[in-house]
Amino acid sequence: MKGIKIDFNATGAVLDLDSMVSGFDAVNQDTLVNLGTQRGSDVIDKNRGSSLEALTLKSSSVISLQASLHVANIVAAETSFYIFSSDDFNEPDKLANMELQPIALTPNGLKLNTVTVSISGQYRGISTTLI
Amino acid sequence: MPLDLTPYLPTQAEVTSSHVAEVLSRLRIQSLSLFPDVKTTTNSVFGNLILEPLATLLATYEIAAERVRSDMILSNIAQGIIYDCNFVTEYLKNYGVSADSGVPVIGTVRLKFDTNKKFIIDRGTHILFGSVGLFHIIAPEIGDVIVDMVGSSKTSNNWYALTKTGDNEYAVNLPVIGPAGVTVAKDSIAFTDLDIPELISIEAVRDFESGRMPTTLPELAVMAQAISYAANFADRGGAIGFLKRKLPNLVGVSPIKSGDDEMQRDKDSILGVNTGKMDVLVKGATTYVTDSVIISLAEYSSNDYRTALTLPGGIPNMIESVTDIDGNPVDNFYIYGTSSDNNRARYASAAFSDLEILGLRVTTQSLLAQDSSYQIIKNNSNYPKLDIANSGGIYKGHIFSNKLERKIKLVATGTKVINGVTKGVFYAEDMLSGEILEELFITESNSRGVIDFEASGIKAYHMFNGIDLYFETSSNSFNVSTTDTFQNAEIILYFRAKTANVLVTYRYDPSVQIVNTLLKSGDIQPVIDVLPKAFNTAYIDNLTINYKRGSAIVKKEQIKDELLEYFNSLVYDNTYDYTTINDIVLYGNAKGLDSMDITATVYHSLAEKWSLDGLDVIDDFVELPTKNLINFNATYDEALLYNIVGPRNINYILDRNKITLREVS
């Protein structure tokens, strides 16, 4: 399965219409999109997205790196379950596991490290910063 | 031209997320089928930015398409669920209904005249009730409407006869049609542009059928549903649909077709081959119109008066009374019947239809009678050699003729030898009805000439019906030889019967006459033999309701009102049931119905005896007795002279004074 590539960088997400992603890269991309999508923002599918934004920027629950671990666990679980249930049924290499690890909490933001594992054992580890 | 769905598109709020999700799911399956390697998940670029918006758009168009379909479902339109009025208006035209096809008001008016003469009435005559109720006479055939003298003979479907309704008062009922939405109450007086000095008044016989205003599309849809059955007389549903469309307020329509027990008009074929026949029974309102008219009878023999019972209301449902004109009962009166057309309706299968001729016979000594008269005029004193002083005749009453006088012109044309006997040949003309008989013979005789009816068959019989005529020659020889300038001799015979008047009170349903008129109209005349009829009468002689008393005061008048409404509106396929009676009693504060006693007289015809051939020979008449129907649930399956009363043609008449309410506990 293949799709249009999205470049994630410091300014946000940009469509790269000249490139494609396929296989587990496409699944991994879906996972990141879901992680960054505010849960409930999709009028068609209310389960889509994660609570990451709600639990961090819109609340004061992240007061320490330790506390951010709870947030990371919750949103990782939400996203994993959503991807499990919504992925194309004929996707050969589906998501098997997802890890979301806070690595830094600064006045500028929370830095998370994301790792996804496919059912065939492929790993994708991407470090991202949430402003 | 492509279908523009814009009028059908829903608002954003009308598109539910569940519907979009369901469309999205279908799109994903379709996409995976067409492009199996393209990711369609909601978080993919294709799934999120293309499929989701597409699903939203498609969902709105699915709703629009559903609305187009809804606008073609009559039951939805009838409920007022309409999305595009322009489309629905055009669509309903497929069913023949449109805003300009409202159901007009139909009713019956009575025209009263002060003179008994023939009136020619323009079919476009204006009959105006109020300021907007402009009505026209329903004339089945092209041409004027003829309102003819009392006792005249029918000449066309546009023909009506006057009836004497009082001193110097003659009336005729005519069906009229007017615009939908106009209300006309019983006894309303109409204005007219008829320039007839003898016209006294025009009034409504009863409340007019209200018609129906085609103001809304839902009403039109209901109409379309009603006529989605072919509106013709090919089947029962079609007949009901047709009549309900023309007369929407009919209480009941009961078509009886070949194969039904009550259909007896198809039983007279020797070979058992039946043409399509249908009786259509209609009832216009819960209660019938009661009317009283003065009927003139002709003396048949001393104190025996007879006439055909021609009533302005048309087919009677019941003869209430026959009295002298002061309201005193006559000694005896009898109703006899015959069929005017034994081919269409043999014997009593003509009962309660336009084909039934009812005759009235009164035997009494108390009626004041006017003397008869007889006159003979001839244009040639030499020939025929009739002795006017000794020739003569009387006009006798005939049970199936309402003629009281005759004026017959005989024109001699020559002689003819029949079976070796030379006879004088006449053309005969009934100068009052216009009927012409081509040949009539006078036999030579040394004493009296004899009108030979047999030689000219039944037509001569009808023309001279009831006339007892004799000629006496002025010499010993009644010679018809050519030397006697027989040609063009003219004799005019005038007869007037000895007459007496009675007051007949009867009940009738004007709707039957309206349906009769409608079906005679050339553009809707059914291809099968359809005979409109009134329902057979079952007159309730006694209705005793035995009720149990409750704690409250029993509302007896209310119970009687509701019983009257219930029984008088019972026509097929509404059948009598105890539950309804019990409900009526309960609502009148009684505790419940204990039991009910009921007897009713069932009429196969209003006639008690039937003439098979239309001749006035009472001794040959066949008994046609009324029956006492004790059990309302009984099917009356006894064929009497080809007439059966059954569920499809029975109708109950209940009067308030026949109801007895008895408390039993």
Side-chain angles (χ1 to χ4, degrees), chain B residues 95-172:
Chain B
Y95 291 89
V97 291
S98 59
D100 56 358
S101 66
V103 178
V105 177
I106 292 180
T108 305
V109 294
R110 174 164 292 189
L111 280 68
K112 291 182 179 172
F113 300 88
D114 63 13
T115 307
N116 180 25
K117 61 180 276 194
K118 185 175 185 176
F119 299 102
I120 308 293
I121 298 177
D122 175 21
R123 62 188 294 121
T125 295
H126 289 185
I127 294 172
L128 187 65
F129 287 96
S131 57
V132 294
L134 181 58
F135 286 75
H136 292 95
I137 299 166
I138 301 174
E141 291 181 355
I142 296 170
D144 295 325
V145 174
I146 312 295
V147 174
D148 215 339
M149 297 170 64
V150 175
S152 54
S153 297
K154 184 173 183 174
T155 54
S156 75
N157 285 329
N158 287 0
W159 174 94
Y160 299 88
L162 289 169
T163 304
K164 188 176 175 67
T165 51
D167 289 339
N168 297 321
E169 185 181 288
Y170 303 87
V172 65

Side-chain angles (χ1 to χ4, degrees), chain B residues 197-257:
Chain B
E198 295 89 349
L199 181 66
I200 302 171
S201 67
I202 300 178
E203 58 191 57
V205 171
R206 73 181 311 166
D207 295 350
F208 281 13
E209 288 278 341
S210 64
R212 192 156 51 198
M213 286 287 281
T215 50
T216 65
L217 289 171
E219 285 173 347
L220 288 176
V222 171
M223 205 184 301
Q225 279 180 311
I227 62 167
S228 57
Y229 256 121
N232 58 40
F233 288 85
D235 57 44
R236 229 189 289 275
I240 294 172
F242 177 88
L243 290 173
K244 284 281 189 181
R245 187 179 173 198
K246 291 285 183 188
L247 303 163
N249 296 338
L250 285 176
V251 168
V253 179
S254 177
I256 297 173
K257 62 182 184 60

Side-chain angles (χ1 to χ4, degrees), chain B residues 126-421:
Chain B
H126 289 185
I127 294 172
L128 187 65
F129 287 96
S131 57
V132 294
L134 181 58
F135 286 75
H136 292 95
I137 299 166
I138 301 174
E141 291 181 355
I142 296 170
D144 295 325
V145 174
I146 312 295
V147 174
D148 215 339
M149 297 170 64
V150 175
S152 54
S153 297
K154 184 173 183 174
T155 54
S156 75
N157 285 329
N158 287 0
W159 174 94
Y160 299 88
L162 289 169
T163 304
K164 188 176 175 67
T165 51
D167 289 339
N168 297 321
E169 185 181 288
Y170 303 87
V172 65
N173 282 11
L174 297 177
V176 292
I177 190 167
V182 175
T183 304
V184 177
K186 180 176 185 288
D187 297 333
S188 299
I189 302 295
F191 298 98
T192 182
D193 57 353
L194 262 182
D195 187 17
I196 297 179
E198 295 89 349
L199 181 66
I200 302 171
S201 67
I202 300 178
E203 58 191 57
V205 171
R206 73 181 311 166
D207 295 350
F208 281 13
E209 288 278 341
S210 64
R212 192 156 51 198
M213 286 287 281
T215 50
T216 65
L217 289 171
E219 285 173 347
L220 288 176
V222 171
M223 205 184 301
Q225 279 180 311
I227 62 167
S228 57
Y229 256 121
N232 58 40
F233 288 85
D235 57 44
R236 229 189 289 275
I240 294 172
F242 177 88
L243 290 173
K244 284 281 189 181
R245 187 179 173 198
K246 291 285 183 188
L247 303 163
N249 296 338
L250 285 176
V251 168
V253 179
S254 177
I256 297 173
K257 62 182 184 60
S258 295
D260 293 335
D261 289 340
E262 297 88 344
M263 169 51 74
Q264 293 296 306
R265 291 196 299 125
D266 60 355
K267 297 292 188 291
D268 57 341
S269 166
I270 296 170
L271 298 176
V273 179
N274 299 323
T275 55
K277 291 181 190 289
M278 181 184 282
D279 292 347
V280 178
L281 287 76
V282 294
K283 186 170 185 185
T286 303
T287 52
Y288 294 119
V289 176
T290 301
D291 192 18
S292 294
V293 291
I294 295 172
I295 298 285
S296 296
L297 301 101
E299 188 188 58
Y300 178 81
S301 60
S302 179
N303 297 325
D304 184 341
Y305 296 88
R306 301 175 182 188
T307 188
L309 199 51
T310 308
L311 300 166
I315 302 160
N317 292 86
M318 187 179 167
I319 305 295
E320 271 193 18
S321 64
V322 176
T323 66
D324 67 17
I325 53 174
D326 296 322
N328 304 310
V330 294
D331 295 337
N332 296 293
F333 75 90
Y334 312 92
I335 308 289
Y336 301 122
T338 194
S339 172
S340 66
D341 188 343
N342 272 322
N343 291 321
R344 281 190 71 196
R346 194 168 176 82
Y347 305 154
S349 64
F352 293 101
S353 81
D354 216 17
L355 300 182
E356 180 184 43
I357 304 174
L358 290 176
L360 173 65
R361 179 186 175 211
V362 175
T363 56
T364 180
Q365 297 184 1
S366 59
L367 289 178
L368 286 174
Q370 294 177 319
D371 275 339
S372 61
S373 60
Y374 168 77
Q375 211 177 354
I376 181 167
I377 305 163
K378 60 177 183 174
N379 70 340
N380 186 320
S381 58
N382 295 321
Y383 205 91
K385 294 176 180 176
L386 296 180
D387 183 340
I388 296 175
N390 292 318
S391 297
I394 58 168
Y395 187 100
K396 294 166 63 179
H398 189 285
I399 195 69
F400 299 122
S401 168
N402 59 0
K403 290 181 169 56
L404 300 175
E405 61 181 3
R406 289 290 180 83
K407 195 172 185 181
I408 294 171
K409 182 164 74 177
L410 301 174
V411 179
T413 59
T415 60
K416 191 179 262 186
V417 178
I418 300 174
N419 295 330
V421 180

